[in-house]
Amino acid sequence: MIPSQFDYIAAQSVEQATRLLEQTQGAKILAGGMSLLPAVKARLNEPGLLIDIGKLDELVGVSTGWLGRLKIGAMSTHVSLIDHPDLTAQPIFSDAARVIADVQVRNRGTIGGSLSYADPAADWPAVFLALEGEVLLRSHKKKRKVKAEDFFISMMTSAVASNELLTEVAFSLDSKRAGNAYIKHRQPASGLALAGAAVNLVVDKKQRIEKINMGVSGVNAMPFLARSLSEKLQGGVLPSEDALQKLCAQVDECDPLEDLHGGADYRRALLANAASRSITLAYQRATAA
Amino acid sequence: MSEAGKAKMGQPMNRLEDPKLVTGNGCYVDDIKRDGMLHLDFLRSPYAHADILSIDTDAALALPGVVAIYTGADLADKLGPVPSFSVPGNFFNTPDMHMLALDKVRFVGEMVVAVVASDRYIARDARELIKVNYKPLPAVTDIEKALLDDAPLVHESMGSNRAFMIPIGDAEGAAKALEGADVVVKERLINQRVIPNPMETRGVVAEYSPWDNELTAWISTQAPQNLRRDFAKFLDHPDAKLRVIAPDVGGGFGPKGAVYPDELMTVYVARELARPVKWIEERQESMMATTHARGQVYDVEMGVNRDGSIQGLRIHMLAHMGAHYGANTPVTAMVTAACITGAYKIPHAVLNAESVFTHTTCIDAYRGFGRTESSYLIERMVNRLAQEIDMDPVELRHKNFIQPDEFPYITPMNNTYDDGHYEVSMSRALEMADYDALREQQRVFRAKGRYVGIGVSSHVWRASFRMPDTHGTDNWCIGGWEKSTVTVSDNGGVTVTIGTCSMGQGIATATAQVVADVLSIDTDNIKIVEKDTFAAPFGNGSMGSRSMVTGGSATLLAAKKARAKILRLAAHLLDSDDDELELKGGCVLVVGQPEKSVSLFDIARLSLRGQEEQPLNEEPTIEESAVYEIPKFAPEFATHTAAWGTHLCLVEVQPATGKIDILRYIAVDDVGRAINPKICAGQIHGGVAQGLGQALMEEAVYDDDGQLLTSSFLDYCTPKATDMPWLEVDFTETPNPTNALGVRGVGESGTCGASPVLVNAVVDALSPLGVTHIDMPLKPEKVWKAIQQAQGDVQEASRHSQKTPRDSQQAQPRPQQEQHA
Amino acid sequence: MNISLTINGEPVTADVEPRLLLAHFLRDHRRLTGTHVGCDTSQCGACTIHFNGKAIKSCTMLAVQADGGEVCTIEQLAQGRLLNPLQQAFQDEHGLQCGFCTPGMVMTIAELESRGEPMTDAEIREALEGNRCRCTGYQNIVKAARKVIPEPVGYRGEASA
């Protein structure tokens, strides 16, 4: 696979990157390249200019603030988010990062790249939704924040405009009586999600579920929040295994893709399995906290 | 560095090939760079069936760096059709294939235009600028639809997509046997199309010297000598001036034993332009352009009596050919027939094989070729019978095995097995598994509602082959022989020239061990010469697990001849009789008088002196050759060197997801004689991996328009490290009495055993639900659906029996398991 | 475009097209042909090298992205004329057959080794998700890796089952 010709620049600053993005037709941001470069090699994507943000250290790293505020730089690699010392209270990050692709891809791929690319079978989008995150998008003259629930527009399309750069992902996370988890069933050939369930929940003192969000990867043409499931689970303790399984088998928002790796019914069944296990694990973590 | 004194047959010595390969210093075809080298890229058809209306190459030709572009029209009166399988009398109705499509394309991936440029990036850019105007036509990729009256024809001139029909065996006898049997089981089995996918794709570097008319081609191939014959004929080039070299080959597995239009084209262009030319296949290209494998559908009837004695077998088989023939395509049916009755005394059997053209990539050899197909069929059916008559599948096998004193055994398909000791490998496998304990464990798990299954396979296959002239292209000479030449020269170094072809199976090390053992030397000073037709012109390459059977045996014989001459020369030097001498550690000693010795150096030196200094009747030089040929067994189409094994596995099926956990896998294969047990075990590991790959996950899928949906590793799933269980491997070594080494071949045993054993295990796991068969690949979704269906059937039957209690005894479902969804 | 980087300890400068893949730069321009290309979709791992100390797929990186960085390929591992312990383990355990996937396998396992952390056999297999082999069935590759990667305390691996 050989790319078509393009120009390239290694951006020295966010300002330079966004300026070039604004001013150059056919310019695209190159983050880790784990999604973009295979497409460029196959000539499915033929950018005029690649703006490499790989040297922008200011976009790397995790910072914590007051009241559970967490910021992750867009260029943080997947591997850096496994067992990160500032993320120990949020095991969902390790859960997800560990199952992305493989060692080599995790060493280069980034959370910002993954969210921007908006592959429905990627893992971070589901986590982002479950944790009700927010991204910071910068263009040459402006910046704006977009909430997770507004971020995914359609298949492979996020809210990041062609002149914008995603610079950080932010979360406001409870730590008291909170638990989260991500469990995924892989498409065996590609390693992407056939069905993945990212769950974030908070329990009250009686271990009743106060809040629960589940982000789903791999099933629909877009990652989505299973709000109908949240409504059914809210207010009660964790249902029995059977009951939970039945609930997870009836996620109203499912509108599954069908391809040779999984039909609609099967994806629903995989989701039921992943979701019930993920909810159970998140609940165990919350009640142990 | 060799391990001094360890280089003997039977030793698990480290491979000589490894230091170079593990340090990245191998030389595969894409590693070769020649001065002034050009790059070739092919524009291939995106349609399965289309007329070519026009081709516009102007923009591409104008691109700086583009040197030449060729279309089918440019070559029409210069080159003939691509060599493919053929027989005198054209019995198999071989339709021609042009190197570049002329006016029609017949499969996705067929070559249409060739672009030559100064580097591969420019060649790709130029390729993208070529405009081909196609008129798409209806295509057919399903084998049964291809036989319907209104199916689009792949080759109009044939009037039908049915390439040929062959009945093999005894139709009348089989019919009577089935009529008389207590129980007849009917089953439809699919052996799905797979794509072999060696890790290195194909490629060629070709170079031409006009001043001496010498044409050299480095090709990632399994059979350089066969290719030389094909190229010489096709290009009308004197074969003495045509050199084919297989450099390091990154896996062959069968498809690299064929002859391909892209390889021919590269060599042709090198000669035309008198510039070195390189072409390297990309992976997606490979999935379309390199031959596929298996692709058979069987309707099987098998009869058994309640006492477990198998009565008869009748099979109607449809075999995909693809759109064209490769080098071996049509013989799949015959090779499948050869071992179709497996290890069993089946008195009557018939196979009706219909071979069918479809708008797909052609089917050709792949690890197991024909024998994997037959093993799958018979081992699945034997288990099917066992389930039907409620007999343990091991017991059913015991009852029907051909016994050692019944060999040579002529099967109902008119093929001869030379020998077999199936009980030996079976009992070893049962012992390793502690079979009775496993069955007990299964009962315990089943009582808890877990789906645990045990699979058995007692596969019989034939290693190496000898066929009459109905194999390969008409330029091949696949006699079942190999020639080996052992030369002792200069300072006592030993060179062994063989005609087989290393591609990862460790042939060089195993061959060196044979010679080192016979001549009592270390491997430090042994050079194996192979894979270069200038240096090793005679041979038939490596395929069908023939290398050590034929090449190894020839080497043993040649080494023994060389040893005899060494002893004669030593006797002369030591003034002794040959029979008082022994070879030890690179020296010849007088037995009992170790101070009387001469080294191989001294002997080599003597051998190079003038005639008058040689012993009487000896010529200068120690260069001894031997040919080993597989004996011919009547009746015709016999191959040789029966091999067999028993595989056993334990699986658990997860009903919520359909996923299969392989808890144990035991493989006991008879290899005759393990020249290097470490290498033999590695062959079993690799063969089992490919067999499990087919059983669990691999499938080449075409849509109705003929698009190959599985054309990358994103969709075509080969096993990864996490997919493989730990393999418990052992060998039995029943020496083959008919070859000098006593070997049986090992490369394909793993694939023959793995697919049936896995399917048998999963069906066994789900048998409490009434499941009797699931087709490969056992993808989790398919297994899940089978469970859903079976659970639904059981519930339905249960509801029915609740509603009509009087009928409930007849409608008794199998015991319902406690299910956690 | 001009790039400057270190390859196997040597400083290298070159003028390359932006679209030149790092794998092609190493193989065709630097003649380091030990790194192989086995697929089109960044899955097979035959092209694995180390960039700034981490295993990455060189087919999914542009040469220009490596500017200023440190590349280590399979060719650097041998210790003079001797195989390094991991390479020796591959030979001793028969962890290679055709050898095409081998450099990539070795480079991935070398990174695991450099982490110095104990791993179970299952974790080693998981870590090889991005390296495909068609010859060995992976068993002997895991055995080779086992020789350089420590086991967790009290762990009994596949081979001792």
Side-chain angles (χ1 to χ4, degrees):
Chain A
M1 290 284 154
I2 293 168
S4 53
Q5 290 182 0
F6 50 79
D7 291 327
Y8 167 94
I9 187 157
Q12 303 299 314
S13 66
V14 171
E15 186 279 326
Q16 184 192 21
T18 51
R19 179 169 38 82
L20 285 168
L21 208 49
E22 184 83 40
Q23 292 168 353
T24 321
Q25 270 273 50
K28 277 211 145 53
I29 296 290
L30 175 62
M34 295 295 99
S35 300
L36 182 61
L37 285 180
V40 168
K41 282 166 66 178
R43 302 196 182 203
L44 297 170
N45 204 319
E46 297 188 89
L49 168 70
L50 279 183
I51 305 167
D52 183 358
I53 56 171
K55 299 211 165 52
L56 300 182
D57 291 338
E58 66 260 43
L59 298 182
V60 176
V62 178
S63 61
T64 50
W66 290 107
L67 299 172
R69 190 92 183 137
L70 186 67
K71 281 188 194 175
I72 303 180
M75 284 302 286
S76 303
T77 57
H78 307 315
V79 72
S80 70
L81 301 177
I82 298 175
D83 296 334
H84 193 287
D86 290 335
L87 297 174
T88 46
Q90 315 296 340
I92 194 173
F93 287 99
S94 284
D95 287 350
R98 272 205 175 89
V99 295
I100 297 174
D102 53 54
V103 164
Q104 297 96 312
V105 170
R106 294 196 282 273
N107 281 337
R108 292 285 299 164
T110 65
I111 188 168
S114 170
L115 290 175
S116 306
Y117 206 73
D119 190 324
D123 303 299
W124 287 128
V127 174
F128 179 53
L129 284 169
L131 297 181
E132 299 170 285
E134 193 175 66
V135 290
L136 181 62
L137 303 179
R138 300 179 86 122
S139 59
H140 182 44
K141 298 245 162 71
K142 297 184 192 161
K143 60 184 179 186
R144 64 187 180 113
K145 292 183 181 177
V146 179
K147 291 195 158 87
E149 60 191 2
D150 301 321
F151 185 73
F152 298 104
I153 313 291
S154 64
M155 192 180 205
M156 309 290 285
T157 309
S158 72
V160 182
S162 58
N163 67 338
E164 284 178 322
L165 170 63
L166 193 162
T167 56
E168 73 184 27
V169 194
F171 305 92
S172 288
L173 296 174
D174 313 86
S175 52
K176 223 169 159 193
R177 293 192 298 275
N180 45 47
Y182 179 68
I183 288 182
K184 130 185 174 186
H185 287 291
R186 277 188 161 140
Q187 195 267 71
S190 68
L192 291 162
L194 262 185
V199 174
N200 187 42
L201 58 82
V202 180
V203 296
D204 65 17
K205 288 181 185 158
K206 293 186 178 169
Q207 303 197 334
R208 290 175 301 203
I209 296 171
E210 220 168 58
K211 173 175 91 169
I212 176 168
N213 283 313
M214 183 166 90
V216 176
S217 55
V219 176
N220 288 7
M222 272 169 53
F224 65 90
L225 268 174
R227 289 198 170 88
S228 62
L229 187 63
S230 298
E231 279 164 28
K232 289 173 189 163
L233 289 169
Q234 206 150 332
V237 293
L238 186 72
S240 71
E241 199 180 324
D242 275 354
L244 182 60
Q245 181 73 25
K246 283 200 172 77
L247 282 174
C248 292
Q250 297 292 330
V251 173
D252 297 338
E253 292 85 356
C254 278
D255 181 17
L257 295 165
E258 298 210 283
D259 63 18
L260 54 96
H261 301 292
D265 288 344
Y266 186 60
R267 280 179 210 247
R268 283 200 178 89
L270 286 184
L271 178 60
N273 179 270
S276 55
R277 286 162 53 208
S278 191
I279 291 168
T280 304
L281 182 56
Y283 188 83
Q284 281 166 358
R285 286 171 173 167
T287 51
Chain B
M1 300 283 279
S2 81
E3 302 154 330
K6 285 196 179 167
K8 283 186 176 327
M9 290 188 274
Q11 295 296 326
M13 64 175 274
N14 281 355
R15 291 196 331 172
L16 306 170
E17 299 89 318
D18 288 355
K20 183 181 69 163
L21 297 177
V22 80
T23 55
N25 288 298
C27 181
Y28 302 87
V29 70
D30 195 17
D31 301 340
I32 297 170
K33 190 175 185 175
R34 310 297 286 171
D35 289 338
M37 189 168 75
L38 302 172
H39 289 258
L40 188 50
D41 205 346
F42 293 106
L43 179 66
R44 295 178 183 271
S45 170
Y47 293 105
H49 192 202
D51 287 326
I52 299 172
L53 300 177
S54 65
I55 303 176
D56 179 359
T57 59
D58 289 347
L61 268 169
L63 196 64
V66 172
V67 169
I69 296 185
Y70 301 87
T71 65
D74 298 328
L75 304 174
D77 49 7
K78 294 192 180 122
L79 295 167
V82 174
S84 70
F85 183 90
S86 71
V87 216
N90 212 29
F91 170 73
F92 290 109
N93 284 330
T94 321
D96 288 341
M97 176 182 177
H98 295 277
M99 198 154 69
L100 294 172
L102 263 182
D103 46 15
K104 198 172 267 248
V105 288
R106 292 183 170 85
F107 68 100
V108 167
E110 184 164 4
M111 280 158 54
V112 180
V113 184
V115 179
V116 189
S118 55
D119 81 38
R120 71 174 102 209
Y121 280 51
I122 294 173
R124 180 55 49 86
D125 291 340
R127 191 187 88 178
E128 296 293 302
L129 292 173
I130 297 170
K131 295 187 192 45
V132 182
N133 197 5
Y134 296 98
K135 180 177 153 210
L137 301 167
V140 64
T141 58
D142 177 274
I143 203 172
E144 284 167 300
K145 287 185 180 155
L147 291 173
L148 297 174
D149 288 336
D150 59 350
L153 291 176
V154 180
H155 300 282
E156 276 96 30
S157 57
M158 291 184 58
S160 163
N161 288 328
R162 180 180 288 108
F164 57 89
M165 256 185 75
I166 285 190
I168 307 171
D170 168 22
E172 210 179 292
K176 283 206 180 95
L178 291 171
E179 270 168 52
D182 291 343
V183 174
V184 175
V185 170
K186 286 188 184 181
E187 194 62 73
R188 164 165 260 241
L189 300 176
I190 298 176
N191 199 309
Q192 81 278 26
R193 178 188 285 254
V194 294
I195 306 177
N197 274 318
M199 286 320 298
E200 186 208 18
T201 56
R202 292 181 302 115
V204 183
V205 171
E207 181 169 86
Y208 177 62
S209 164
W211 305 113
D212 54 15
N213 201 28
E214 288 196 358
L215 191 48
T216 304
W218 290 265
I219 307 185
S220 186
T221 179
Q222 299 172 223
Q225 300 88 353
N226 290 340
L227 287 189
R228 179 166 86 155
R229 295 179 199 114
D230 280 320
F231 287 3
K233 185 102 181 279
F234 180 77
L235 296 170
D236 194 20
H237 199 91
D239 66 344
K241 304 277 195 155
L242 204 158
R243 180 180 188 185
V244 177
I245 303 168
D248 287 319
V249 175
F253 308 124
K256 288 185 183 173
V259 57
Y260 288 90
D262 32 42
E263 295 173 3
L264 288 163
M265 185 79 205
T266 311
V267 180
Y268 172 75
V269 170
R271 190 179 66 179
E272 286 299 293
L273 300 179
R275 295 270 301 271
V277 179
K278 172 184 274 192
W279 167 69
I280 303 295
E281 194 183 39
E282 289 189 329
R283 181 59 63 183
Q284 182 184 49
E285 191 179 11
S286 184
M287 295 222 199
M288 297 171 185
T290 297
T291 56
H292 293 178
R294 321 293 190 232
Q296 299 178 351
V297 179
Y298 321 98
D299 285 302
V300 188
E301 297 161 281
M302 197 157 169
V304 67
N305 284 346
R306 291 254 169 234
D307 67 355
S309 55
I310 299 172
Q311 299 301 303
L313 175 64
R314 180 163 58 199
I315 304 161
H316 181 242
M317 168 174 134
L318 296 177
H320 270 283
M321 298 285 97
H324 300 278
Y325 289 149
N328 306 294
T329 313
V331 297
T332 337
M334 277 79 97
V335 186
T336 305
C339 292
I340 200 81
T341 49
Y344 313 105
K345 275 179 296 205
I346 302 179
H348 302 282
V350 66
L351 169 70
N352 285 301
E354 284 186 80
S355 295
V356 184
F357 284 116
T358 50
H359 292 105
T360 59
T361 302
C362 89
I363 298 284
D364 210 287
Y366 172 45
R367 198 168 197 167
F369 185 49
R371 292 92 89 232
T372 30
E373 289 86 324
S374 58
S375 297
Y376 178 70
L377 187 148
I378 192 67
E379 291 305 306
R380 218 18 318 270
M381 288 307 294
V382 167
N383 261 46
R384 186 73 184 80
L385 288 185
Q387 191 177 10
E388 194 69 24
I389 62 173
D390 206 21
M391 183 178 281
D392 184 285
V394 168
E395 194 191 334
L396 185 57
R397 284 170 169 83
H398 282 311
K399 282 187 188 296
N400 289 281
F401 273 162
I402 306 164
Q403 296 304 314
D405 58 3
E406 290 171 313
F407 293 96
Y409 179 86
I410 301 177
T411 74
M413 316 312 269
N414 261 342
N415 281 273
T416 307
Y417 295 172
D418 51 1
D419 73 347
H421 298 260
Y422 311 135
E423 294 290 359
V424 178
S425 56
M426 168 71 94
S427 57
R428 178 66 188 128
L430 294 175
E431 182 193 10
M432 285 170 71
D434 195 353
Y435 185 69
D436 292 337
L438 267 189
R439 282 289 179 201
E440 182 51 40
Q441 200 179 0
Q442 181 184 37
R443 276 189 276 280
V444 169
F445 280 135
R446 273 191 174 154
K448 294 179 182 166
R450 289 169 68 173
Y451 293 113
V452 172
I454 299 169
V456 180
S457 161
S458 268
H459 47 286
V460 164
W461 62 290
R462 274 133 42 128
S464 197
F465 51 83
R466 175 210 170 101
M467 294 202 181
D469 300 318
T470 53
H471 189 70
T473 72
D474 59 12
N475 305 308
W476 289 17
C477 313
I478 301 226
W481 57 262
E482 278 298 324
K483 181 172 184 170
S484 177
T485 302
V486 174
T487 306
V488 181
S489 61
D490 299 0
N491 299 342
V494 175
T495 305
V496 188
T497 304
I498 52 175
T500 50
C501 187
S502 292
M503 40 181 168
Q505 342 83 304
I507 299 298
T509 300
T511 303
Q513 282 180 257
V514 171
V515 173
D517 196 335
V518 172
L519 300 184
S520 193
I521 55 175
D522 279 331
T523 52
D524 278 355
N525 207 355
I526 298 180
K527 166 73 182 169
I528 308 296
V529 173
E530 55 167 347
K531 309 201 287 179
D532 178 340
T533 58
F534 269 12
F538 302 117
N540 293 290
S542 283
M543 54 192 82
S545 304
R546 66 189 301 273
S547 302
M548 288 315 285
V549 172
T550 52
S553 295
T555 298
L556 181 71
L557 296 171
K560 283 183 171 173
K561 280 185 179 177
R563 177 195 160 99
K565 179 150 186 182
I566 286 167
L567 290 176
R568 290 196 300 274
L569 293 178
H572 181 73
L573 283 171
L574 293 168
D575 194 23
S576 189
D577 289 328
D578 320 16
D579 56 5
E580 294 173 344
L581 301 175
E582 64 173 351
L583 268 168
K584 203 169 177 178
C587 289
V588 181
L589 317 160
V590 176
V591 175
Q593 298 175 62
E595 70 284 1
K596 285 186 80 177
S597 73
V598 282
S599 67
L600 211 51
F601 174 93
D602 299 324
I603 295 164
R605 284 300 160 122
L606 170 61
S607 77
L608 295 172
R609 294 210 183 92
Q611 183 76 67
E612 68 282 0
E613 291 188 59
Q614 305 289 335
L616 198 61
N617 298 328
E618 296 288 353
E619 282 183 349
T621 74
I622 306 174
E623 186 180 47
E624 301 292 343
S625 295
V627 170
Y628 175 76
E629 181 168 29
I630 302 164
K632 186 169 171 148
F633 282 83
E636 58 185 76
F637 228 89
T639 69
H640 167 67
T641 319
W644 61 87
T646 298
H647 289 196
L648 210 146
C649 77
L650 177 73
V651 303
E652 180 165 11
V653 181
Q654 304 300 334
T657 57
K659 289 189 189 174
I660 298 163
D661 298 319
I662 304 174
L663 304 174
R664 279 189 79 185
Y665 192 106
I666 290 142
V668 178
D669 293 275
D670 199 301
V671 299
R673 179 183 193 175
I675 303 298
N676 185 317
K678 205 154 58 170
I679 291 177
C680 287
Q683 290 302 299
I684 297 298
H685 294 170
V688 168
Q690 289 179 328
L692 290 180
Q694 172 161 21
L696 291 168
M697 61 191 77
E698 293 185 46
E699 186 176 27
V701 180
Y702 283 93
D703 69 12
D704 291 334
D705 294 327
Q707 291 301 314
L708 181 62
L709 299 179
T710 51
S711 63
S712 80
F713 287 140
L714 286 170
D715 293 305
Y716 188 88
C717 194
T718 56
K720 288 169 276 194
T722 45
D723 296 315
M724 286 299 296
W726 180 261
L727 303 176
E728 301 166 58
V729 172
D730 201 359
F731 297 106
T732 51
E733 292 180 67
T734 314
N736 187 310
T738 52
N739 70 57
L741 271 179
V743 296
R744 287 185 190 277
V746 64
E748 292 165 289
S749 204
T751 28
C752 287
S755 2
V757 82
L758 192 285
V759 179
N760 284 345
V762 171
V763 170
D764 186 51
L766 301 178
S767 59
L769 291 173
V771 171
T772 54
H773 181 64
I774 310 176
D775 275 317
M776 302 188 289
L778 299 187
K779 289 186 174 178
E781 182 177 14
K782 192 188 282 189
V783 175
W784 176 80
K785 278 185 178 161
I787 296 171
Q788 296 286 306
Q789 169 116 23
Q791 284 176 332
D793 291 346
V794 167
Q795 281 164 9
E796 187 60 38
S798 172
R799 271 199 291 279
H800 177 77
S801 74
Q802 281 163 13
K803 279 181 184 169
T804 57
R806 201 177 304 162
D807 296 332
S808 68
Q809 274 161 21
Q810 274 111 26
Q812 197 70 37
R814 296 203 189 224
Q816 200 168 4
Q817 298 299 314
E818 272 288 303
Q819 271 312 289
H820 298 288
Chain C
M1 270 197 68
N2 280 316
I3 57 172
S4 298
L5 63 157
T6 309
I7 301 179
N8 295 340
E10 301 281 328
V12 169
T13 57
D15 183 13
V16 299
E17 269 193 291
R19 63 173 171 162
L20 180 67
L21 303 178
L22 181 58
H24 289 153
F25 175 64
L26 294 169
R27 289 179 48 74
D28 297 335
H29 293 235
R30 304 302 307 169
R31 301 303 291 141
L32 292 164
T33 55
T35 302
H36 300 142
V37 176
C39 78
D40 306 332
T41 48
S42 310
Q43 289 168 283
C44 79
C47 66
T48 305
I49 59 162
H50 289 182
F51 180 67
N52 293 345
K54 292 223 181 284
I56 64 110
K57 291 174 181 173
S58 62
C59 76
T60 316
M61 195 163 159
L62 305 171
V64 292
Q65 287 178 285
D67 183 38
E70 219 172 277
V71 165
C72 170
T73 69
I74 182 73
E75 286 87 348
Q76 197 180 15
L77 261 52
Q79 292 162 349
R81 297 274 178 94
L82 292 176
L83 306 181
N84 88 349
L86 175 56
Q87 291 167 320
Q88 188 60 54
F90 261 77
Q91 186 184 31
D92 293 340
E93 297 299 332
H94 188 38
L96 65 149
Q97 292 184 23
C98 81
F100 195 77
C101 76
T102 307
M105 283 285 177
V106 169
M107 295 309 282
T108 297
I109 296 169
E111 190 204 299
L112 303 178
E113 183 189 1
S114 73
R115 295 180 191 172
E117 286 158 14
M119 295 176 78
T120 63
D121 293 349
E123 285 167 344
I124 291 174
R125 286 178 183 270
E126 264 286 334
L128 295 178
E129 195 78 8
N131 288 87
R132 240 166 256 232
C133 175
R134 206 52 165 149
C135 290
T136 67
Y138 303 98
Q139 182 146 318
N140 290 345
I141 293 173
V142 174
K143 282 173 79 175
R146 191 72 285 167
K147 281 189 151 171
V148 301
I149 297 174
E151 289 182 344
V153 174
Y155 173 70
R156 289 186 76 232
E158 294 167 345
S160 55

